[in-house]
Amino acid sequence: LVGQGCIEPGSIKVTYGTGCWMQMNTGSSPVLSDHGLLPTVAWRLAGESCFALDGGVYITGGATKWLKDGLGIISSPAETDLIAQSVENNGGVYFVPAFTGLAAPHWDSYASGMMIGMNGGTKKGHIVRAALESTAYQVRDVMDVMIRDSSVPIMAIRCNGGPTRNQFLMQFQADILGTRVYSPEC
């Protein structure tokens, strides 16, 4: 949180990887979540404490790995950016990568993954795009409850991790959150 410069209440740090992990600076008071997010001490300095809400998603970049290793429809995660941009939209395809259940805010260890909306016109680009979009939707789910639990509006989102190199993902994330997403990779 500090390393990404999230020192003001409402600033959020997101680490994208196999899963996705988020912390939101909530200021000088801990916030108890109604959605299973973890209140934590972000830092203590000169006797003053700053608190955060902590939440995560089990499978994000892991879905891209599945496209490569499980389905064999991509040869590397790097190519998903151009493949996702090769189609105008997701073609009605939606993907829930609940390979190990769902984490925050759903907390359903029995959930299983699914892909819906496919038809005879579904192309590889639609499936790849739906997988990337699923990451952004899951991050939004967590951020929505962070805002609801804390009553603190989003001030900034700072990101790191390998998937942040994906321009499509980062732009889609910014679009559905309605805010700028800062990444050293973009």
Side-chain angles (χ1 to χ4, degrees), residues 33-76:
S33 173
D34 292 328
H35 301 93
L37 302 181
L38 304 172
T40 187
V41 175
W43 65 82
R44 282 198 173 109
L45 184 62
E48 300 290 321
S49 295
C50 182
F51 294 89
L53 275 176
D54 194 336
V57 177
Y58 294 145
I59 302 293
T60 56
T64 304
K65 183 174 175 18
W66 176 74
L67 294 176
K68 178 182 172 287
D69 299 340
L71 289 185
I73 64 171
I74 62 170
S75 57
S76 78

Side-chain angles (χ1 to χ4, degrees), residues 72-91:
I73 64 171
I74 62 170
S75 57
S76 78
E79 71 184 85
T80 61
D81 192 3
L82 291 177
I83 293 172
Q85 293 182 59
S86 73
V87 292
E88 187 175 324
N89 54 47
N90 65 14

